[in-house]
Amino acid sequence: MTVEVGNVMFGNDRPFVLVSGPCQIESRDHALRLAEAIAGMARAAGVPFVFKSSFDKANRTSIHGKRGLGIDEGLRVLADVKASVGCPVLTDIHAPEQAAPAAEAVDILQIPAFLSRQTDLLVVAGATGAAVNIKKGQFLAPWDMAAAAAKVAATGNERIILTDRGASFGYNTLVSDFRALPIMAETGYPVMFDATHAVQAPGGNGASSGGDRRFAPALARAALAVGAAAIFAEAHDDPDNAPSDGPVMLPLGWLPRLLDQLRRIDEVAKAPA
């Protein structure tokens, strides 16, 4: 199955798509600057691109964590990115009442991993008709995602993408099992791998999540070697000073070489036998 989102096509047998941007929207100028920069790098590498950023980070470790601009201002920024840069846009939703307004501004509604079993959220997201990206909960097996997808499909919306971001492995640790990607692909839906959140240490810094971005490129390469439809990799111009997920976001300077590597791996992995 292929999911068409604007000028981008997601499919397990199609060239991979890059989904990237800062973890949360920090300002209109920052979002536009990063979207334009990443779009240019993706275009130079010949890689389709979707911009991602969150108007609200509702599952922060600490009550004091910065959450973002909020839904009203955040959706205005994302609509501006879509209009100015000309790329499809993805953002998270956390509550059913956010689905309809978000679907008016963006192309893909993302269901966060912690909410991947929330029936009401999945159903209302599907009912908007927007593409829906469901992140596999760290607590779920890959075959459990068929049931999550079925909740969205029950609305008549088959524009579904499934994303793996690792599985819980002890305390504050995630591990990636690359069997999960072909297992999830058995649903027929495009499968994406979240390379940056897969190297996260949830709550690992006490009042915030930690992680180690050094390993994200290796995991991205491995995911394309087993046939992923897309790579989700958050990126930032100053990740060490970002308000959320700084330890795992990729510096912008890493992207040109990485995208070239990923494109070549993808071509080999998806070449006719």
Side-chain angles (χ1 to χ4, degrees), residues 60-232:
R60 301 306 305 277
T61 302
S62 167
I63 189 67
H64 303 295
K66 293 181 180 179
R67 292 181 51 167
L69 298 184
I71 187 168
D72 294 333
E73 186 176 356
L75 291 179
R76 283 194 292 270
V77 170
L78 293 171
D80 285 349
V81 168
K82 179 178 176 179
S84 298
V85 182
C87 60
V89 175
L90 173 153
T91 199
D92 305 275
I93 59 171
H94 301 90
E97 60 269 20
Q98 295 176 342
E104 293 181 3
V106 307
D107 303 277
I108 305 174
L109 302 181
Q110 180 164 278
I111 308 299
F114 288 121
L115 300 177
S116 55
R117 286 177 57 109
Q118 294 295 103
T119 301
D120 290 346
L121 185 61
L122 290 162
V123 169
V124 75
T128 67
V132 180
N133 178 42
I134 312 171
K135 284 193 155 185
K136 182 180 78 63
Q138 301 92 321
F139 45 86
L140 294 179
W143 43 86
D144 294 332
M145 290 302 287
K151 294 177 182 181
V152 175
T155 69
N157 184 353
E158 294 274 358
R159 303 179 67 216
I160 299 167
I161 302 164
L162 303 178
T163 296
D164 184 42
R165 55 152 299 169
S168 296
F169 186 74
Y171 297 124
N172 305 120
T173 305
L174 300 174
V175 65
S176 293
D177 176 2
F178 288 99
R179 297 175 300 175
L181 302 181
I183 291 171
M184 289 163 60
E186 291 174 358
T187 61
Y189 298 114
V191 174
M192 177 156 58
F193 181 72
D194 183 346
T196 44
H197 287 102
V199 297
Q200 188 184 64
N205 288 345
S208 64
S209 292
D212 193 338
R213 70 173 69 96
R214 293 178 302 161
F215 300 111
L219 296 187
R221 291 191 292 265
L224 288 181
V226 297
I231 294 295
F232 182 112

Side-chain angles (χ1 to χ4, degrees), residues 31-44:
L32 283 168
R33 187 168 70 251
L34 263 65
E36 289 169 353
I38 301 170
M41 295 174 190
R43 187 165 50 249

